[in-house]
Amino acid sequence: MADLTDKQTFSDEDALEFHRSPTPGKISMAPTKPMATQRDLSLAYSPGVAIPVLAIAADADKAYDYTSKGNLVAVISNGTAILGLGNLGHMASKPVMEGKAVLFKRFADVDSFDVEVKTTDPDEFITVVKNIGDTWGGINLEDIKSPECFVIESELQDLLDIPVFHDDQHGTAIISTAGLINACHITGKRLENIKVVLAGAGAAGLSSIGLMKAVGVRAENTVIVDRDGVVYKGRDNVDQWKAAHATDTPHRTLAEAMVGADVVLGLSAKGAITKEMVASMAPNPIIFAMANPDPEITPEDVASVRSDAIMATGRSDYVNQVNNVLGFPYIFRGALDVRARQVNHEMKVACAQALAALAREDVPDEVAMAYRGRKLRFGPDYIIPSPFDPRLIWYIPPFVAQAAMDTGVARKPIEDMDAYRTELRSRLDPSAALMQNISGAVRAAPNKRVVFAEGEETAVIRAAWGFKQAELGTPILLGREDLIRQNAAEAGLDFDAMGMEIVNARVSEHNVDYTDWLYARLQRRGYLRRDVQRMINQDRNYFGAAMVARGQADCMVTGVTRNFNMVLKEVRRVLDVKNRMIGLSILLAKGRTLFVADTSIHELPNAEELAEIAIQAAETVKKLGKTPRVAFLSYSTFGNPPGDRGEKVREAIRILDQRGVDFEYEGEMPPELALDPEARAAYPFMRLSGHANVLVMPAIHSAAISTRLVQSLGGATVIGPLLVGLEKSVQIVSLGASVSEIITAATFAAYDEGAAVES
């Protein structure tokens, strides 16, 4: 089998092995209801299933309430235009359709199954899909050749009362239109003035030029070229779909049409655009060479004749990939969530404009990780969001849903769009709901001044920017102002517009006060005044903690450039412990929120320390709005087998019994007893009223290993460890933490300080 491209980064056998092992194919089905008991089986099938059957028989729309229809999309093809490979038959399309189903689930949590139809006759195809269409909440048509695809989509949309969307047309149109909006933004060109040439008048090309007209491109400024030349008014042998875009133009070839053009859209074949054509274009040309697997012209060839071009392709190994995965998952997510009857023109425009707006935002670190650390920022090499941007799931669908509501095709309007965004975040990020609650409390509380100690680091600067932009408080960056501003500018952030606060420890008006105060604190611990002066001048952790201690700030976040233990020692020289200090990690898995302690402070806690850890963890969980149920975990179960560590846990229980604490606790026990009340039949004396949500570990190694193991296996999201118990709120992130991790820590710091003030 021949390689598909000269830049392919895997072998043909690699691709076959990926699809073959460990299980053939890329999708499977997972039940959403338990099948553990006879009652479960009776409810899921006979006789319980008869009840929703009768309800749906009386009202077909009840299928949305009692079945998976509302989150189910069919990916349907007859294989007549598979990728760039042509008509290879319906079964040859199955790997592509499975792949589409996987992308629906991965990027938008939409359940999807593939359907391959064995016919090339459009009428037959329409009849098949019409008769099975009510099964789904939407239909994604795929890899159907032009012009039949136009007829099939149009007729099915008329016949069915659900969205029918041909992604090869509209997906490419949406993404390329978003890219065009931003390319014009960068070059200073206006949509209504640009001259656009389309090379390739197939389904994707015609849909793209149509959508671009909808956002402002003038019809008279467009020229369409197919394999026979320019599509001009009066030309013979032009079908109705091409004729709709024909213009009065003297040009008859692609080369003629591209002279002085601002934009060329390539949706044809490798080599269709030459260097000479590119050289003839207007200043700052916009070139979207989107043929797959090889573009009409490579970025290397464009760069050899033009240094002012903005380039996009359909390939992931070049910048600005026009990737349909940026469109179809979020179009359907928004459409399904309002039970839209169709995906109309306005919904596509809304999606394109939202994608363009998102690309202009600061790019999260998660995206850089997906691109091996390459930093991306809005500009000529980044005009389209990355498919790995975690914000897509909650940023794009609300615009689509709103457009559906505004145009009257939504059957279930969304009343609270902010709540909808929160719900969307939670679909792929288990921590989203918790963080939304914490962030809401921080915004509602009096404004907190948060010190970002390592203020010269680009990640910290971006985190402080994001923190303020989200209106979570007032960030204070510690460092040299010139360097902070330089790094901010390189990251594309305008500090003057945002009004960011910068403090240089060495020249601060509080320098002497902090030195005197800290010297009085440390003078009997072996420190000379000059030592303390050096610490305040040169170490931002000391200076930042002193700011918090002396009331010039409320809380602090640090740790990006130093390891946890070193930072904690520095902070502890400035701030006292109010209560027992612990590290508390938050573990979110399978719809559950668990709090794990102690994950960072006490290496081998004794019984008294274990009891104190439980008390501090329970108090913190209460502040986070949860009712604590504490389980002391162990390798042993209520004394069996016996051992030293188990005895320490049992002694901790006796200490809590004597203190009469106001929360549920039990131990010692293995995880299954803590988390599954049904597993407790042999232990009727257990005091927990439900599953435990606070897990106290017997030692730091078991706490750290267990949380990291679960996280590494992909079974959970872990936040923290959060530092709890200091007199003032300080959060220490991990070495090299991402922007989102720093913002999360700063938010918890502000929340903890607010809770402490109120209590």
Side-chain angles (χ1 to χ4, degrees):
M1 185 182 297
D3 282 345
L4 294 177
T5 81
D6 56 359
K7 293 194 70 171
Q8 192 167 301
T9 58
F10 51 83
S11 70
D12 293 345
E13 184 54 38
D14 287 338
L16 293 174
E17 181 62 21
F18 177 86
H19 288 79
R20 179 171 53 227
S21 301
T23 301
K26 300 185 288 295
I27 59 175
S28 65
M29 186 177 75
T32 61
K33 301 294 189 295
M35 290 290 114
T37 66
Q38 178 62 37
R39 184 174 184 274
D40 293 338
L41 188 60
S42 297
L43 285 169
Y45 200 57
S46 184
V49 75
I51 310 304
V53 165
L54 294 172
I56 295 170
D59 180 0
D61 277 351
K62 290 295 182 182
Y64 285 100
D65 299 321
Y66 302 127
T67 76
S68 60
K69 173 173 175 150
N71 194 52
L72 193 61
V73 168
V75 181
I76 305 182
S77 179
N78 62 3
T80 53
I82 303 174
L83 301 175
L85 304 174
N87 184 356
L88 300 179
H90 69 294
M91 285 311 297
S93 75
K94 189 171 180 65
V96 182
M97 302 310 112
E98 281 192 357
K100 203 79 170 199
V102 170
L103 297 178
F104 266 115
K105 189 65 177 178
R106 161 63 179 83
F107 290 104
D109 195 30
V110 172
D111 294 321
S112 178
F113 290 96
D114 60 298
V115 178
E116 290 75 37
V117 180
K118 186 182 180 180
T119 181
T120 58
D121 179 76
D123 292 331
E124 261 192 277
F125 187 95
I126 290 167
T127 299
V128 170
V129 178
K130 176 191 71 173
N131 288 328
I132 62 175
D134 286 345
T135 301
W136 298 280
I139 291 174
N140 185 98
L141 299 173
E142 192 78 17
D143 288 357
I144 302 170
K145 72 183 179 73
S146 173
E148 288 92 330
C149 61
F150 300 119
V151 176
I152 289 171
E153 182 192 44
S154 178
E155 292 201 21
L156 283 175
Q157 187 60 84
D158 289 341
L159 291 167
L160 296 172
D161 200 28
I162 58 174
V164 179
F165 183 85
H166 183 215
D167 185 49
D168 297 314
Q169 291 183 59
H170 310 303
T172 302
I174 289 166
I175 315 310
S176 60
T177 299
L180 179 66
I181 291 170
N182 279 342
C184 288
H185 182 91
I186 292 166
T187 58
K189 297 175 186 280
R190 297 178 63 85
L191 287 167
E192 61 268 28
N193 296 333
I194 58 174
K195 178 182 176 183
V196 181
V197 176
L198 169 64
L206 295 179
S207 184
S208 295
I209 206 74
L211 196 61
M212 289 174 184
K213 290 178 184 178
V215 299
V217 174
R218 291 177 179 170
E220 61 267 27
N221 291 342
T222 64
V223 177
I224 296 171
V225 184
D226 65 10
R227 66 185 61 189
D228 296 320
V230 170
V231 178
Y232 56 89
K233 286 188 176 180
R235 200 187 95 176
D236 295 332
N237 301 320
V238 176
D239 63 42
Q240 66 188 79
W241 296 281
K242 293 179 186 179
H245 297 284
T247 55
D248 285 319
T249 174
H251 305 310
R252 293 297 180 263
T253 67
L254 178 60
E256 292 174 5
M258 283 183 61
V259 175
D262 297 286
V263 181
V264 61
L265 308 175
L267 284 156
S268 52
K270 177 181 180 180
I273 297 173
T274 67
K275 293 182 182 181
E276 291 75 19
M277 294 177 188
V278 170
S280 73
M281 294 179 71
N284 302 307
I286 299 165
I287 302 164
F288 290 1
M290 298 177 284
N292 267 321
D294 294 296
E296 287 80 0
I297 187 169
T298 66
E300 293 89 346
D301 283 345
V302 170
S304 71
V305 293
R306 299 296 295 252
S307 61
D308 59 343
I310 292 181
M311 182 85 186
T313 72
R315 291 176 55 142
S316 62
D317 47 3
Y318 292 122
V319 299
N320 295 328
Q321 183 190 17
V322 179
N323 190 332
N324 285 17
V325 78
L326 288 165
F328 69 84
Y330 312 110
I331 280 275
F332 272 99
R333 181 75 275 156
L336 291 171
D337 291 338
V338 294
R339 295 184 187 172
R341 290 185 164 88
Q342 61 180 257
V343 174
N344 59 28
H345 215 53
E346 292 81 0
M347 294 162 73
K348 299 167 197 169
V349 169
C351 185
Q353 291 174 334
L355 285 167
L358 181 60
R360 297 193 291 269
E361 302 281 348
D362 187 36
V363 183
D365 283 352
E366 291 87 343
V367 176
M369 290 169 59
Y371 290 90
R372 300 181 181 178
R374 180 164 62 92
K375 172 59 183 165
L376 302 172
R377 55 176 292 194
F378 180 63
D381 291 340
Y382 190 79
I383 60 173
I384 304 168
S386 162
F388 298 101
D389 192 321
R391 299 169 298 180
L392 286 161
I393 179 62
W394 59 262
Y395 194 99
I396 307 301
F399 287 94
V400 176
Q402 188 64 57
M405 291 158 55
D406 292 343
T407 54
V409 299
R411 281 175 286 199
K412 184 185 176 186
I414 295 169
E415 296 181 2
D416 187 338
M417 200 58 77
D418 288 335
Y420 177 50
R421 290 188 182 91
T422 300
E423 176 193 332
L424 289 170
R425 285 177 185 261
S426 301
R427 280 188 172 274
L428 298 181
D429 179 5
S431 68
L434 173 67
M435 288 309 304
Q436 183 71 19
N437 292 337
I438 301 299
S439 299
V442 170
R443 291 189 189 96
N447 182 73
K448 296 294 181 295
R449 291 167 56 82
V450 182
V451 175
F452 288 73
E454 298 141 309
E456 295 174 358
E457 297 296 315
T458 300
V460 176
I461 294 169
R462 291 173 56 216
W465 174 277
F467 186 80
K468 183 162 187 179
Q469 196 173 43
E471 299 180 340
L472 293 166
T474 300
I476 303 168
L477 287 161
L478 298 189
R480 292 164 288 181
E481 183 168 356
D482 57 345
L483 184 55
I484 291 175
R485 287 187 173 276
Q486 176 185 328
N487 289 341
E490 290 177 358
L493 307 179
D494 184 354
F495 266 30
D496 293 326
M498 187 62 81
M500 300 291 284
E501 186 172 347
I502 301 171
V503 174
N504 186 334
R506 188 180 291 275
V507 299
S508 168
E509 62 182 8
H510 298 292
N511 189 290
V512 174
D513 172 52
Y514 294 169
T515 300
D516 291 343
W517 177 82
L518 188 57
Y519 177 56
R521 179 180 172 86
L522 299 179
Q523 61 191 357
R524 294 182 182 274
R525 300 189 207 173
Y527 290 88
L528 300 175
R529 193 180 192 285
R530 64 172 179 264
D531 299 327
V532 176
Q533 180 70 71
R534 185 166 55 251
M535 290 155 62
I536 291 295
N537 277 351
Q538 299 179 8
D539 195 306
R540 288 165 199 144
N541 284 328
Y542 287 111
F543 187 90
M547 285 186 74
V548 174
R550 301 294 285 162
Q552 273 77 49
D554 297 295
C555 47
M556 183 171 93
V557 60
T558 184
V560 174
T561 61
R562 299 185 192 176
N563 67 57
F564 182 93
N565 289 332
M566 181 182 294
V567 174
L568 183 60
K569 286 179 182 178
E570 292 168 348
V571 171
R572 283 282 289 108
R573 292 186 182 113
V574 183
L575 298 171
D576 290 326
V577 174
K578 181 178 67 173
N579 300 308
R580 171 71 62 181
M581 187 168 61
I582 66 169
L584 183 69
S585 292
I586 305 175
L587 191 153
L588 302 108
K590 295 184 178 179
R592 244 182 226 187
T593 301
L594 301 176
F595 301 87
V596 183
D598 168 21
T599 50
S600 61
I601 304 297
H602 298 85
E603 185 175 1
L604 289 170
N606 58 33
E608 180 70 28
E609 289 170 331
L610 284 170
E612 292 288 347
I613 289 169
I615 292 170
Q616 183 65 288
E619 286 300 315
T620 303
V621 169
K622 288 178 186 176
K623 287 182 180 179
L624 292 172
K626 305 287 186 180
T627 300
R629 290 185 295 274
V630 179
F632 288 80
L633 297 192
S634 175
Y635 65 92
S636 60
T637 307
F638 301 113
N640 183 34
D644 179 61
R645 294 309 300 174
E647 179 54 37
K648 285 183 171 58
V649 175
R650 289 189 289 277
E651 178 59 25
I653 295 293
R654 290 191 286 269
I655 292 171
L656 292 181
D657 289 343
Q658 294 167 4
R659 294 193 183 183
V661 295
D662 62 349
F663 57 86
E664 293 182 20
Y665 59 93
E666 187 59 280
E668 84 283 20
M669 67 181 79
E672 60 268 24
L673 289 187
L675 301 176
D676 183 6
E678 293 186 4
R680 302 171 187 170
Y683 308 96
F685 54 83
M686 284 186 64
R687 295 175 285 193
L688 296 181
S689 60
H691 71 79
N693 58 4
V694 181
L695 308 179
V696 177
M697 297 292 187
I700 194 172
H701 58 267
S702 55
I705 291 171
S706 59
T707 53
R708 291 173 186 173
L709 178 62
V710 173
Q711 187 176 32
S712 297
L713 290 173
T717 295
V718 177
I719 298 174
L722 306 174
L723 187 61
V724 177
L726 282 175
E727 61 173 320
K728 293 287 187 178
S729 180
V730 175
Q731 292 302 330
I732 304 173
V733 299
S734 59
L735 198 65
S738 69
V739 171
S740 61
E741 289 169 336
I742 300 167
I743 293 175
T744 296
T747 305
F748 270 102
Y751 180 86
D752 190 34
E753 184 59 28
V757 169
E758 293 166 8
S759 59

